[in-house]
Each structure stands twice: as structure tokens, then as C-alpha cells.
Amino acid sequence: MASISVCMIVKNEEKNLEACLTCLKDIADEILIADTGSTDATKEIAARFTDKIYDFAWTGSFSDARNFIFSKAKMDYIYSADADERLDEENIQRFLQVKKTLLPEIEIVQMYYCNQLAHNTIYNFDKEYRPKLFKRVRNFVWQEKIHEQVQLEPVIYDSEIEIIHQPDGNHAKRDLAVFASMITNKEELSKRLCEIYAKELLIAGDEEDFAAAGTYFSNLADKEGLSEDEIKQASLVAARYYRYQKETSSFFKYALRVTACGGCSEMCCEIGEYYFDMEDYKEASMWFYNAVYETQPLLNIRSGKEIPLKYLSECMAKLGLKEEAENYRHLAE
């Protein structure tokens, strides 16, 4: 049977931590917690489950904190948990079964992360696989009789374990503040982080957040060598920023750039909102219709259904088309 270290980073999680650790106490062979500066009863609650509690001075990097607590683990596998995660009894039993039967060559176990859409997160799926259980020590193995090479790709197992995500609130403002700080400090954002930043802005950002990000993304959109999706992601943020700034010429510059790359639901919504604010409801309705029926979402799944359908209902009402307005209202539900 594989042994498991549960590793967590926490701060002011007195509302969540006991329920989380209660789910994990029969799975874990050790529980390790890095506290990044709690001022509530978090550490006292943690002490009911483990004596392996470490103070970690916050560096501004979640990776630093996770690497620190991972370095303390001693078991075969490390389970990375957050305080707002829950396992019901059925999934505790699934986890125990995986622990009992896990083949030693498996290096990563993926689990379903559930309940995402209920909290306006940056994820567009209510249920999706995430890597959650990691082999602590990886053995590099040579392969092939001739032209031999070291196996580099990890061996991954997709389990049936479902983790319920139950956050107290939305973390978007916290995340967006970190991104804004990185831009201010001229830190390089990877392709992955650029996509996540753009996604979080479009899903949860307000005018202030776009003001902090607009110049960065407009400069990014103007760079050579980007893929079509990268151009569209950057241009979407730039267009929203310039719409907020009421700089019409720049707004349409980036809107047309997305259209030239094949378009997407988000940009149709942007143009629709532009005309809606201009009280040109007939033109706005055409773009919202295109968002639903002629294009696909790139970053925010809601831009392909709920958002444009609600606007279509409002446009029809403004145009005096009550039956159509009611129809689109029902479709948006």
C-alpha cells in the first residue's frame, strides 16, 4: 500500500480547515501544514490533526509556499490539498482504494475537481481533471533496446475521485491584484499565466482591473509571432480596456483584430455591449445573436450563452418586441 503525505498551505482558514482535515485524516499517513500568517484559530485547529505545522513567511508566491511544504514530506506520494476542498464518504472510499492498489510506476494521479461554475471561478467546466497526487521521488528509467532514451513523460492515472470545491468567496480580486503587481514589477508572464490572467479579467475583472492590465495586453497583442489564440486573448483584454476608456478607435482596432482571426463569442459580446451603450439596440442584438449562434467562447463559457442571451432579451424589450424578449429571457435561464 502506498503511503501519503497531505501537504497544505493555509492562512486564516478557521472556517474551512476542520472539515477539510476530517475528510483526509484516514487517508493521510502524515499531514503537513505551512501557515503563511494566520491571525485566527487556524493553527490551533490544525494542531488537532498534526504536529507538523510550519510557519512560512509569505513571499508573494504560492509556488514558494507549496515547494516549501512539499520539501518536508516523507511518504511515497504527496497529496496537495486546499482548505476549501471536501471529500464525501463515497470519494473517501475511492481514495482509500486507490491508495491500496496504486501501482508503483504511476507518478501522478488526477482527480475530478467539481463545483467550479457555482463560484464564478476562472474555469469553464463544472467538473474537470486536475493532478492532485504526486509521487515524491521520481526514478528515471532508460527505454528502448537501441537509441535508448530516458522516459520523460510522467505516468498518469485518471481516477474516479471527485473533490468538491467549496470556497467561502471568490478569489478573483486577490489573484488579479497579484497579476497587476507582477506587471508593475515588470515580471515575465508565461504563455499559461497570460491566458489565465486574460480569462480571470474577462470573467471577474472590473474597470479598475482592466486599467491595470490594458497597456500590457495591448502591447502583447502587437507583438510578432503570436498564435491566433494568443492574439485573440490579448486583443480581447485590450478591446475591453479601450471600451472602458471610451477610446473608440483603439477599441475597434483590437475588435477587428479578433474578427480577422476568426472571431469568438467574447468579442461579439464586446461589440454588442458597445452598441447597447450607444442605444443602438438593433445593431447590438445582431452581435449578441452572433455570440450565441455563430461563434464559440474562447475564455469565458458564459459569453456563448447566458451573457448574450440576457442582452438579447433586453434589446428585444427596448425594441418593443415583448414575445422575443421573453423567449430569450427563458433561454438565458
Side-chain angles (χ1 to χ4, degrees):
M1 181 186 296
S3 59
I4 294 177
S5 301
V6 169
C7 289
M8 302 179 67
I9 57 173
V10 297
K11 181 180 179 181
N12 293 337
E13 291 286 1
E14 65 179 5
K15 293 181 181 179
N16 288 314
L17 189 58
E18 183 169 8
C20 175
L21 291 177
T22 299
C23 298
L24 298 174
K25 62 184 177 63
D26 293 330
I27 295 167
D29 294 282
E30 64 173 357
I31 297 173
L32 305 100
I33 294 177
D35 187 277
T36 62
S38 293
T39 55
D40 63 3
T42 294
K43 290 167 73 174
E44 288 82 353
I45 294 168
R48 299 174 197 162
F49 296 86
T50 181
D51 59 356
K52 296 177 180 177
I53 302 167
Y54 303 87
D55 290 314
F56 181 79
W58 182 242
T59 65
S61 168
F62 287 95
S63 288
D64 287 350
R66 290 204 190 276
N67 287 333
F68 168 78
I69 199 62
F70 268 38
S71 74
K72 302 294 183 183
K74 302 298 182 185
M75 300 297 124
D76 301 329
Y77 286 83
I78 300 173
Y79 179 66
S80 180
D82 288 326
D84 56 9
E85 297 173 358
R86 303 289 182 270
L87 291 168
D88 60 20
E89 185 57 36
E90 180 180 1
N91 285 289
I92 290 173
Q93 293 305 315
R94 286 175 177 168
F95 204 140
L96 288 170
Q97 185 63 24
V98 166
K99 179 179 178 180
K100 191 180 299 183
T101 59
L102 195 60
L103 297 174
E105 61 265 29
I106 293 173
E107 295 169 316
I108 295 174
V109 176
Q110 296 206 119
M111 303 176 187
Y112 285 116
Y113 213 66
C114 304
N115 206 35
Q116 289 294 80
L117 295 179
H119 302 285
N120 202 34
T121 65
I122 64 168
Y123 301 96
N124 285 321
F125 301 94
D126 204 44
K127 178 178 175 180
E128 62 180 356
Y129 268 129
R130 285 192 184 183
K132 292 293 291 181
L133 186 65
F134 307 89
K135 194 167 189 178
R136 186 174 64 85
V137 178
R138 185 179 186 191
N139 296 315
F140 288 98
V141 178
W142 288 90
Q143 297 177 315
E144 313 295 357
K145 287 185 176 181
I146 189 170
H147 300 299
E148 68 280 3
Q149 64 178 8
V150 169
Q151 178 182 309
L152 299 178
E153 293 297 320
V155 180
I156 298 174
Y157 170 62
D158 293 338
S159 75
E160 292 300 314
I161 300 166
E162 296 185 358
I163 301 166
I164 305 301
H165 187 210
Q166 293 184 332
D168 287 333
N170 191 293
H171 294 158
K173 270 294 182 184
R174 176 201 69 186
D175 294 350
L176 290 168
V178 173
F179 278 122
S181 175
M182 292 175 73
I183 289 175
T184 299
N185 295 330
K186 301 189 184 306
E187 295 180 44
E188 187 70 25
L189 297 186
S190 66
K191 177 181 175 180
R192 172 178 168 271
L193 279 186
C194 282
E195 180 178 354
I196 292 174
Y197 191 10
K199 189 180 292 186
E200 198 147 8
L201 282 164
L202 289 171
I203 291 174
D206 57 24
E207 192 167 343
E208 181 182 2
D209 297 316
F210 277 89
T215 301
Y216 178 85
F217 278 98
S218 60
N219 289 338
L220 179 61
D222 292 338
K223 281 188 175 181
E224 298 289 334
L226 299 182
S227 68
E228 282 198 351
D229 277 356
E230 288 175 293
I231 293 169
K232 287 196 281 189
Q233 291 163 14
S235 297
L236 280 167
V237 176
R240 173 81 64 87
Y241 165 67
Y242 286 117
R243 182 165 67 82
Y244 281 148
Q245 297 296 312
K246 302 189 186 306
E247 295 186 29
T248 303
S249 176
S250 294
F251 167 71
F252 278 108
K253 170 185 173 180
Y254 292 103
L256 289 170
R257 191 168 294 179
V258 173
T259 304
C261 289
C264 61
S265 297
E266 290 89 342
M267 188 50 73
C268 289
C269 287
E270 286 298 318
I271 299 172
E273 289 191 49
Y274 170 82
Y275 285 112
F276 188 90
D277 291 342
M278 298 288 287
E279 300 184 2
D280 188 343
Y281 303 115
K282 185 176 180 180
E283 187 70 16
S285 65
M286 181 191 76
W287 286 100
F288 289 126
Y289 183 92
N290 273 270
V292 181
Y293 299 108
E294 303 296 338
T295 53
Q296 296 295 320
L298 179 68
L299 296 171
N300 182 2
I301 196 171
R302 297 168 184 82
S303 66
K305 185 180 179 184
E306 297 99 317
I307 294 171
L309 285 171
K310 286 177 182 177
Y311 269 109
L312 273 169
S313 178
E314 291 186 45
C315 287
M316 295 301 108
K318 295 286 188 182
L319 293 168
L321 303 171
K322 294 183 180 179
E323 186 175 340
E324 287 89 340
E326 186 66 12
N327 181 47
Y328 282 124
R329 186 181 69 78
H330 280 301
L331 289 173
E333 292 175 349

